[in-house]
Amino acid sequence: MSSRASKSALQRLVEQLKLQVGVERIKVSQAAAELQQYCMQNAWKDALLVSVPAGSNPLLESRSCALP
Amino acid sequence: MATEGLHENETLASLKSEAESLHQVAERVEALGQFVMKTRRTLKGHGNKVLCMDWCKDKRRIVSSSQDGKVIVWDSFTTNKILTASGDGTCALWDVESGQLLQSFHGHGADVLCLDLAPSETGNTFVSGGCDKKAMVWDMRSGQCVQAFETHESDINSVRYYPSGDAFASGSDDATCRLYDLRADREVAIYSKESIIFGASSVDFSLSGRLLFAGYNDYTINVWDVLKGSRVSILFGHENRVSTLRVSPDGTAFCSGSWDHTLRVWA
């Protein structure tokens, strides 16, 4: 790679990093609290989380298995 | 054929006129009108055989993969734009009608292995993961990478947005899954165990985001408590690598696909 090409690549990288530095951030404690809140608020409709009565889930239909 | 004697109100004549097929009975049903089905959209973009596809739960987007090495997310309705991730290290946004490249996304230093579109209706961002160990979030309109995360120690095989769209999870060859919060702009959780040494190939969240399902190259599926970071379950059954995993749109089950040629639905 010619030095001109790598220079422009580095310049692009610097621009990119400057952009990323400018991103507005919130504290992890707040972000994490909001993720947790989303989980709690939606837990009731998460069928894989709560045990749904067997009748309403066709996959959980009880089948008997008789071995000879 | 069974035979039986005539019943009280039956006569030979009435039996002879008995119907013999469904169509006879349905004679009185109004015929269906002209059934017109046409190709409404042709999505061109793959360079080789299309291997598989599925509809996204938003009932609008289609994802497909091909032997050309690309994964494409298509918008089947209006704008006819499609998003691709390629082994050439870039992502690209195309106009389907004209075949024109609308936007390309440069920044990954190696093959891009996976991508996921942000869940909101007006989603203008997507996240991609690559062999350069980076997960990058892109603005589709400007083509700019708005955030980048480089904490994995190996290829990132799978990325998936958290249901609220504020975070995303990744699965990597470094045997860990990680959660990155977009507003805090950093990794906020890591899901790993010393006993897990094989790469995670595919990840997906349960409806509420509390559970993270991850398929691994050691043939197992680990179920993680997203909030606490602990593993709540390990699922056995596949006889080879788990290569793909998806929770159903209504969240009642999830399906895993494997190199053992089978798909399993779990509930």
Side-chain angles (χ1 to χ4, degrees), chain B residues 234-263:
Chain B
I234 175 169
L235 306 172
F236 299 97
H238 278 297
E239 293 164 17
N240 207 321
R241 287 193 194 190
V242 177
S243 51
T244 182
L245 190 155
R246 265 301 196 290
V247 172
S248 70
D250 63 0
T252 56
F254 75 91
C255 182
S256 57
S258 161
W259 284 17
D260 69 4
H261 305 203
T262 73
L263 290 149

PDB file of all heavy atoms in Angstrom, chain B residues 234-263:
ATOM      1  N   ILE B 234     -29.142 -25.776  29.723  1.00  0.00           N
ATOM      2  CA  ILE B 234     -28.336 -26.210  28.590  1.00  0.00           C
ATOM      3  C   ILE B 234     -29.150 -27.281  27.873  1.00  0.00           C
ATOM      4  O   ILE B 234     -29.681 -28.194  28.507  1.00  0.00           O
ATOM      5  CB  ILE B 234     -26.932 -26.718  29.021  1.00  0.00           C
ATOM      6  CG1 ILE B 234     -26.181 -27.265  27.816  1.00  0.00           C
ATOM      7  CG2 ILE B 234     -27.019 -27.744  30.146  1.00  0.00           C
ATOM      8  CD1 ILE B 234     -24.717 -27.543  28.086  1.00  0.00           C
ATOM      9  N   LEU B 235     -29.332 -27.113  26.583  1.00  0.00           N
ATOM     10  CA  LEU B 235     -30.198 -28.011  25.833  1.00  0.00           C
ATOM     11  C   LEU B 235     -29.402 -28.920  24.914  1.00  0.00           C
ATOM     12  O   LEU B 235     -28.603 -28.466  24.103  1.00  0.00           O
ATOM     13  CB  LEU B 235     -31.191 -27.193  24.995  1.00  0.00           C
ATOM     14  CG  LEU B 235     -32.017 -26.170  25.779  1.00  0.00           C
ATOM     15  CD1 LEU B 235     -32.812 -25.308  24.824  1.00  0.00           C
ATOM     16  CD2 LEU B 235     -32.943 -26.867  26.755  1.00  0.00           C
ATOM     17  N   PHE B 236     -29.615 -30.208  25.094  1.00  0.00           N
ATOM     18  CA  PHE B 236     -28.945 -31.194  24.253  1.00  0.00           C
ATOM     19  C   PHE B 236     -29.926 -31.772  23.257  1.00  0.00           C
ATOM     20  O   PHE B 236     -31.135 -31.781  23.496  1.00  0.00           O
ATOM     21  CB  PHE B 236     -28.400 -32.336  25.124  1.00  0.00           C
ATOM     22  CG  PHE B 236     -27.398 -31.898  26.130  1.00  0.00           C
ATOM     23  CD1 PHE B 236     -27.771 -31.638  27.434  1.00  0.00           C
ATOM     24  CD2 PHE B 236     -26.064 -31.734  25.762  1.00  0.00           C
ATOM     25  CE1 PHE B 236     -26.830 -31.224  28.379  1.00  0.00           C
ATOM     26  CE2 PHE B 236     -25.127 -31.312  26.695  1.00  0.00           C
ATOM     27  CZ  PHE B 236     -25.504 -31.057  28.007  1.00  0.00           C
ATOM     28  N   GLY B 237     -29.425 -32.295  22.187  1.00  0.00           N
ATOM     29  CA  GLY B 237     -30.325 -32.930  21.220  1.00  0.00           C
ATOM     30  C   GLY B 237     -29.705 -32.991  19.836  1.00  0.00           C
ATOM     31  O   GLY B 237     -29.813 -33.985  19.135  1.00  0.00           O
ATOM     32  N   HIS B 238     -29.052 -31.889  19.465  1.00  0.00           N
ATOM     33  CA  HIS B 238     -28.447 -31.912  18.132  1.00  0.00           C
ATOM     34  C   HIS B 238     -27.214 -32.781  18.115  1.00  0.00           C
ATOM     35  O   HIS B 238     -26.519 -32.907  19.125  1.00  0.00           O
ATOM     36  CB  HIS B 238     -28.107 -30.489  17.684  1.00  0.00           C
ATOM     37  CG  HIS B 238     -29.285 -29.770  17.118  1.00  0.00           C
ATOM     38  ND1 HIS B 238     -29.935 -30.194  15.981  1.00  0.00           N
ATOM     39  CD2 HIS B 238     -29.939 -28.655  17.535  1.00  0.00           C
ATOM     40  CE1 HIS B 238     -30.950 -29.368  15.728  1.00  0.00           C
ATOM     41  NE2 HIS B 238     -30.972 -28.424  16.649  1.00  0.00           N
ATOM     42  N   GLU B 239     -26.957 -33.385  16.943  1.00  0.00           N
ATOM     43  CA  GLU B 239     -25.815 -34.280  16.829  1.00  0.00           C
ATOM     44  C   GLU B 239     -24.672 -33.673  16.047  1.00  0.00           C
ATOM     45  O   GLU B 239     -23.740 -34.373  15.629  1.00  0.00           O
ATOM     46  CB  GLU B 239     -26.276 -35.599  16.196  1.00  0.00           C
ATOM     47  CG  GLU B 239     -27.217 -36.351  17.141  1.00  0.00           C
ATOM     48  CD  GLU B 239     -28.006 -37.444  16.444  1.00  0.00           C
ATOM     49  OE1 GLU B 239     -27.597 -37.834  15.330  1.00  0.00           O
ATOM     50  OE2 GLU B 239     -29.027 -37.869  17.002  1.00  0.00           O
ATOM     51  N   ASN B 240     -24.765 -32.379  15.842  1.00  0.00           N
ATOM     52  CA  ASN B 240     -23.665 -31.665  15.210  1.00  0.00           C
ATOM     53  C   ASN B 240     -23.835 -30.189  15.547  1.00  0.00           C
ATOM     54  O   ASN B 240     -24.751 -29.823  16.276  1.00  0.00           O
ATOM     55  CB  ASN B 240     -23.664 -31.905  13.688  1.00  0.00           C
ATOM     56  CG  ASN B 240     -22.272 -31.772  13.102  1.00  0.00           C
ATOM     57  OD1 ASN B 240     -21.500 -30.899  13.493  1.00  0.00           O
ATOM     58  ND2 ASN B 240     -21.945 -32.633  12.175  1.00  0.00           N
ATOM     59  N   ARG B 241     -22.954 -29.343  15.012  1.00  0.00           N
ATOM     60  CA  ARG B 241     -23.019 -27.916  15.323  1.00  0.00           C
ATOM     61  C   ARG B 241     -24.409 -27.332  15.137  1.00  0.00           C
ATOM     62  O   ARG B 241     -25.087 -27.638  14.160  1.00  0.00           O
ATOM     63  CB  ARG B 241     -22.141 -27.144  14.357  1.00  0.00           C
ATOM     64  CG  ARG B 241     -20.701 -27.277  14.554  1.00  0.00           C
ATOM     65  CD  ARG B 241     -20.012 -26.216  13.749  1.00  0.00           C
ATOM     66  NE  ARG B 241     -18.606 -26.505  13.654  1.00  0.00           N
ATOM     67  CZ  ARG B 241     -17.710 -25.668  13.184  1.00  0.00           C
ATOM     68  NH1 ARG B 241     -18.090 -24.485  12.754  1.00  0.00           N
ATOM     69  NH2 ARG B 241     -16.453 -26.007  13.122  1.00  0.00           N
ATOM     70  N   VAL B 242     -24.777 -26.441  16.058  1.00  0.00           N
ATOM     71  CA  VAL B 242     -26.008 -25.680  15.890  1.00  0.00           C
ATOM     72  C   VAL B 242     -25.595 -24.476  15.060  1.00  0.00           C
ATOM     73  O   VAL B 242     -24.701 -23.731  15.441  1.00  0.00           O
ATOM     74  CB  VAL B 242     -26.565 -25.226  17.252  1.00  0.00           C
ATOM     75  CG1 VAL B 242     -27.810 -24.378  17.050  1.00  0.00           C
ATOM     76  CG2 VAL B 242     -26.888 -26.439  18.124  1.00  0.00           C
ATOM     77  N   SER B 243     -26.202 -24.315  13.885  1.00  0.00           N
ATOM     78  CA  SER B 243     -25.754 -23.240  13.002  1.00  0.00           C
ATOM     79  C   SER B 243     -26.687 -22.051  12.967  1.00  0.00           C
ATOM     80  O   SER B 243     -26.288 -20.951  12.605  1.00  0.00           O
ATOM     81  CB  SER B 243     -25.597 -23.780  11.583  1.00  0.00           C
ATOM     82  OG  SER B 243     -26.785 -24.473  11.214  1.00  0.00           O
ATOM     83  N   THR B 244     -27.956 -22.252  13.343  1.00  0.00           N
ATOM     84  CA  THR B 244     -28.900 -21.158  13.273  1.00  0.00           C
ATOM     85  C   THR B 244     -29.989 -21.331  14.325  1.00  0.00           C
ATOM     86  O   THR B 244     -30.290 -22.452  14.739  1.00  0.00           O
ATOM     87  CB  THR B 244     -29.508 -21.051  11.856  1.00  0.00           C
ATOM     88  OG1 THR B 244     -30.386 -19.946  11.806  1.00  0.00           O
ATOM     89  CG2 THR B 244     -30.269 -22.312  11.493  1.00  0.00           C
ATOM     90  N   LEU B 245     -30.549 -20.222  14.780  1.00  0.00           N
ATOM     91  CA  LEU B 245     -31.506 -20.280  15.871  1.00  0.00           C
ATOM     92  C   LEU B 245     -32.438 -19.071  15.786  1.00  0.00           C
ATOM     93  O   LEU B 245     -31.974 -17.963  15.567  1.00  0.00           O
ATOM     94  CB  LEU B 245     -30.711 -20.255  17.182  1.00  0.00           C
ATOM     95  CG  LEU B 245     -31.375 -20.531  18.510  1.00  0.00           C
ATOM     96  CD1 LEU B 245     -30.347 -21.042  19.483  1.00  0.00           C
ATOM     97  CD2 LEU B 245     -32.007 -19.263  19.051  1.00  0.00           C
ATOM     98  N   ARG B 246     -33.765 -19.292  15.929  1.00  0.00           N
ATOM     99  CA  ARG B 246     -34.698 -18.183  15.857  1.00  0.00           C
ATOM    100  C   ARG B 246     -35.878 -18.412  16.782  1.00  0.00           C
ATOM    101  O   ARG B 246     -36.476 -19.490  16.753  1.00  0.00           O
ATOM    102  CB  ARG B 246     -35.309 -18.091  14.470  1.00  0.00           C
ATOM    103  CG  ARG B 246     -34.701 -17.184  13.490  1.00  0.00           C
ATOM    104  CD  ARG B 246     -34.646 -15.743  13.887  1.00  0.00           C
ATOM    105  NE  ARG B 246     -34.398 -14.948  12.718  1.00  0.00           N
ATOM    106  CZ  ARG B 246     -33.251 -14.926  12.043  1.00  0.00           C
ATOM    107  NH1 ARG B 246     -32.241 -15.600  12.487  1.00  0.00           N
ATOM    108  NH2 ARG B 246     -33.141 -14.230  10.947  1.00  0.00           N
ATOM    109  N   VAL B 247     -36.235 -17.378  17.517  1.00  0.00           N
ATOM    110  CA  VAL B 247     -37.422 -17.457  18.360  1.00  0.00           C
ATOM    111  C   VAL B 247     -38.622 -17.152  17.464  1.00  0.00           C
ATOM    112  O   VAL B 247     -38.526 -16.309  16.573  1.00  0.00           O
ATOM    113  CB  VAL B 247     -37.322 -16.438  19.523  1.00  0.00           C
ATOM    114  CG1 VAL B 247     -38.626 -16.354  20.293  1.00  0.00           C
ATOM    115  CG2 VAL B 247     -36.190 -16.828  20.452  1.00  0.00           C
ATOM    116  N   SER B 248     -39.744 -17.837  17.681  1.00  0.00           N
ATOM    117  CA  SER B 248     -40.909 -17.608  16.835  1.00  0.00           C
ATOM    118  C   SER B 248     -41.454 -16.200  17.064  1.00  0.00           C
ATOM    119  O   SER B 248     -41.249 -15.632  18.125  1.00  0.00           O
ATOM    120  CB  SER B 248     -41.999 -18.641  17.136  1.00  0.00           C
ATOM    121  OG  SER B 248     -42.556 -18.407  18.407  1.00  0.00           O
ATOM    122  N   PRO B 249     -42.133 -15.638  16.064  1.00  0.00           N
ATOM    123  CA  PRO B 249     -42.626 -14.257  16.181  1.00  0.00           C
ATOM    124  C   PRO B 249     -43.525 -14.015  17.396  1.00  0.00           C
ATOM    125  O   PRO B 249     -43.505 -12.928  17.963  1.00  0.00           O
ATOM    126  CB  PRO B 249     -43.418 -14.050  14.887  1.00  0.00           C
ATOM    127  CG  PRO B 249     -42.805 -14.987  13.925  1.00  0.00           C
ATOM    128  CD  PRO B 249     -42.388 -16.181  14.731  1.00  0.00           C
ATOM    129  N   ASP B 250     -44.306 -15.039  17.814  1.00  0.00           N
ATOM    130  CA  ASP B 250     -45.171 -14.815  18.973  1.00  0.00           C
ATOM    131  C   ASP B 250     -44.481 -15.236  20.270  1.00  0.00           C
ATOM    132  O   ASP B 250     -45.077 -15.203  21.335  1.00  0.00           O
ATOM    133  CB  ASP B 250     -46.497 -15.549  18.818  1.00  0.00           C
ATOM    134  CG  ASP B 250     -46.322 -17.055  18.760  1.00  0.00           C
ATOM    135  OD1 ASP B 250     -45.176 -17.519  18.846  1.00  0.00           O
ATOM    136  OD2 ASP B 250     -47.328 -17.772  18.639  1.00  0.00           O
ATOM    137  N   GLY B 251     -43.226 -15.651  20.156  1.00  0.00           N
ATOM    138  CA  GLY B 251     -42.453 -15.966  21.355  1.00  0.00           C
ATOM    139  C   GLY B 251     -42.800 -17.241  22.089  1.00  0.00           C
ATOM    140  O   GLY B 251     -42.365 -17.445  23.217  1.00  0.00           O
ATOM    141  N   THR B 252     -43.581 -18.124  21.499  1.00  0.00           N
ATOM    142  CA  THR B 252     -43.961 -19.332  22.224  1.00  0.00           C
ATOM    143  C   THR B 252     -42.990 -20.490  22.038  1.00  0.00           C
ATOM    144  O   THR B 252     -43.059 -21.485  22.750  1.00  0.00           O
ATOM    145  CB  THR B 252     -45.359 -19.836  21.790  1.00  0.00           C
ATOM    146  OG1 THR B 252     -45.332 -20.030  20.370  1.00  0.00           O
ATOM    147  CG2 THR B 252     -46.441 -18.829  22.138  1.00  0.00           C
ATOM    148  N   ALA B 253     -42.119 -20.376  21.077  1.00  0.00           N
ATOM    149  CA  ALA B 253     -41.177 -21.477  20.829  1.00  0.00           C
ATOM    150  C   ALA B 253     -39.958 -20.921  20.116  1.00  0.00           C
ATOM    151  O   ALA B 253     -39.957 -19.774  19.681  1.00  0.00           O
ATOM    152  CB  ALA B 253     -41.841 -22.538  19.952  1.00  0.00           C
ATOM    153  N   PHE B 254     -38.912 -21.729  20.005  1.00  0.00           N
ATOM    154  CA  PHE B 254     -37.810 -21.315  19.144  1.00  0.00           C
ATOM    155  C   PHE B 254     -37.332 -22.525  18.362  1.00  0.00           C
ATOM    156  O   PHE B 254     -37.570 -23.674  18.746  1.00  0.00           O
ATOM    157  CB  PHE B 254     -36.685 -20.631  19.931  1.00  0.00           C
ATOM    158  CG  PHE B 254     -35.806 -21.545  20.734  1.00  0.00           C
ATOM    159  CD1 PHE B 254     -34.651 -22.078  20.175  1.00  0.00           C
ATOM    160  CD2 PHE B 254     -36.115 -21.852  22.047  1.00  0.00           C
ATOM    161  CE1 PHE B 254     -33.812 -22.907  20.919  1.00  0.00           C
ATOM    162  CE2 PHE B 254     -35.287 -22.682  22.792  1.00  0.00           C
ATOM    163  CZ  PHE B 254     -34.134 -23.204  22.224  1.00  0.00           C
ATOM    164  N   CYS B 255     -36.710 -22.252  17.247  1.00  0.00           N
ATOM    165  CA  CYS B 255     -36.275 -23.308  16.347  1.00  0.00           C
ATOM    166  C   CYS B 255     -34.774 -23.227  16.166  1.00  0.00           C
ATOM    167  O   CYS B 255     -34.208 -22.143  16.066  1.00  0.00           O
ATOM    168  CB  CYS B 255     -36.974 -23.124  15.000  1.00  0.00           C
ATOM    169  SG  CYS B 255     -36.549 -24.406  13.818  1.00  0.00           S
ATOM    170  N   SER B 256     -34.124 -24.389  16.153  1.00  0.00           N
ATOM    171  CA  SER B 256     -32.679 -24.409  15.924  1.00  0.00           C
ATOM    172  C   SER B 256     -32.393 -25.294  14.724  1.00  0.00           C
ATOM    173  O   SER B 256     -33.070 -26.300  14.507  1.00  0.00           O
ATOM    174  CB  SER B 256     -31.962 -24.958  17.166  1.00  0.00           C
ATOM    175  OG  SER B 256     -32.443 -26.255  17.479  1.00  0.00           O
ATOM    176  N   GLY B 257     -31.405 -24.904  13.935  1.00  0.00           N
ATOM    177  CA  GLY B 257     -31.012 -25.690  12.772  1.00  0.00           C
ATOM    178  C   GLY B 257     -29.582 -26.131  12.972  1.00  0.00           C
ATOM    179  O   GLY B 257     -28.791 -25.426  13.602  1.00  0.00           O
ATOM    180  N   SER B 258     -29.250 -27.292  12.455  1.00  0.00           N
ATOM    181  CA  SER B 258     -27.916 -27.819  12.722  1.00  0.00           C
ATOM    182  C   SER B 258     -27.281 -28.498  11.532  1.00  0.00           C
ATOM    183  O   SER B 258     -27.949 -28.867  10.561  1.00  0.00           O
ATOM    184  CB  SER B 258     -28.039 -28.800  13.902  1.00  0.00           C
ATOM    185  OG  SER B 258     -26.940 -29.678  13.971  1.00  0.00           O
ATOM    186  N   TRP B 259     -25.961 -28.697  11.631  1.00  0.00           N
ATOM    187  CA  TRP B 259     -25.230 -29.440  10.614  1.00  0.00           C
ATOM    188  C   TRP B 259     -25.634 -30.909  10.622  1.00  0.00           C
ATOM    189  O   TRP B 259     -25.220 -31.656   9.748  1.00  0.00           O
ATOM    190  CB  TRP B 259     -23.728 -29.327  10.870  1.00  0.00           C
ATOM    191  CG  TRP B 259     -23.144 -28.013  10.469  1.00  0.00           C
ATOM    192  CD1 TRP B 259     -23.821 -26.851  10.216  1.00  0.00           C
ATOM    193  CD2 TRP B 259     -21.760 -27.715  10.278  1.00  0.00           C
ATOM    194  NE1 TRP B 259     -22.928 -25.856   9.882  1.00  0.00           N
ATOM    195  CE2 TRP B 259     -21.663 -26.361   9.911  1.00  0.00           C
ATOM    196  CE3 TRP B 259     -20.579 -28.480  10.382  1.00  0.00           C
ATOM    197  CZ2 TRP B 259     -20.436 -25.732   9.651  1.00  0.00           C
ATOM    198  CZ3 TRP B 259     -19.372 -27.852  10.114  1.00  0.00           C
ATOM    199  CH2 TRP B 259     -19.295 -26.503   9.760  1.00  0.00           C
ATOM    200  N   ASP B 260     -26.450 -31.312  11.617  1.00  0.00           N
ATOM    201  CA  ASP B 260     -26.890 -32.707  11.648  1.00  0.00           C
ATOM    202  C   ASP B 260     -28.111 -32.895  10.745  1.00  0.00           C
ATOM    203  O   ASP B 260     -28.793 -33.904  10.809  1.00  0.00           O
ATOM    204  CB  ASP B 260     -27.197 -33.170  13.087  1.00  0.00           C
ATOM    205  CG  ASP B 260     -28.441 -32.498  13.685  1.00  0.00           C
ATOM    206  OD1 ASP B 260     -29.129 -31.735  12.978  1.00  0.00           O
ATOM    207  OD2 ASP B 260     -28.731 -32.736  14.866  1.00  0.00           O
ATOM    208  N   HIS B 261     -28.369 -31.908   9.901  1.00  0.00           N
ATOM    209  CA  HIS B 261     -29.444 -31.941   8.908  1.00  0.00           C
ATOM    210  C   HIS B 261     -30.845 -31.795   9.503  1.00  0.00           C
ATOM    211  O   HIS B 261     -31.821 -31.977   8.790  1.00  0.00           O
ATOM    212  CB  HIS B 261     -29.424 -33.237   8.071  1.00  0.00           C
ATOM    213  CG  HIS B 261     -28.117 -33.505   7.385  1.00  0.00           C
ATOM    214  ND1 HIS B 261     -28.005 -34.294   6.268  1.00  0.00           N
ATOM    215  CD2 HIS B 261     -26.858 -33.103   7.655  1.00  0.00           C
ATOM    216  CE1 HIS B 261     -26.735 -34.363   5.899  1.00  0.00           C
ATOM    217  NE2 HIS B 261     -26.021 -33.652   6.732  1.00  0.00           N
ATOM    218  N   THR B 262     -30.930 -31.534  10.789  1.00  0.00           N
ATOM    219  CA  THR B 262     -32.284 -31.396  11.339  1.00  0.00           C
ATOM    220  C   THR B 262     -32.545 -30.004  11.880  1.00  0.00           C
ATOM    221  O   THR B 262     -31.630 -29.218  12.131  1.00  0.00           O
ATOM    222  CB  THR B 262     -32.536 -32.382  12.507  1.00  0.00           C
ATOM    223  OG1 THR B 262     -31.806 -31.921  13.652  1.00  0.00           O
ATOM    224  CG2 THR B 262     -32.128 -33.796  12.157  1.00  0.00           C
ATOM    225  N   LEU B 263     -33.821 -29.732  12.045  1.00  0.00           N
ATOM    226  CA  LEU B 263     -34.269 -28.518  12.715  1.00  0.00           C
ATOM    227  C   LEU B 263     -35.064 -28.989  13.915  1.00  0.00           C
ATOM    228  O   LEU B 263     -35.800 -29.969  13.818  1.00  0.00           O
ATOM    229  CB  LEU B 263     -35.183 -27.703  11.792  1.00  0.00           C
ATOM    230  CG  LEU B 263     -34.486 -27.056  10.607  1.00  0.00           C
ATOM    231  CD1 LEU B 263     -35.417 -26.943   9.437  1.00  0.00           C
ATOM    232  CD2 LEU B 263     -33.982 -25.686  10.998  1.00  0.00           C
TER     233      LEU B 263
END
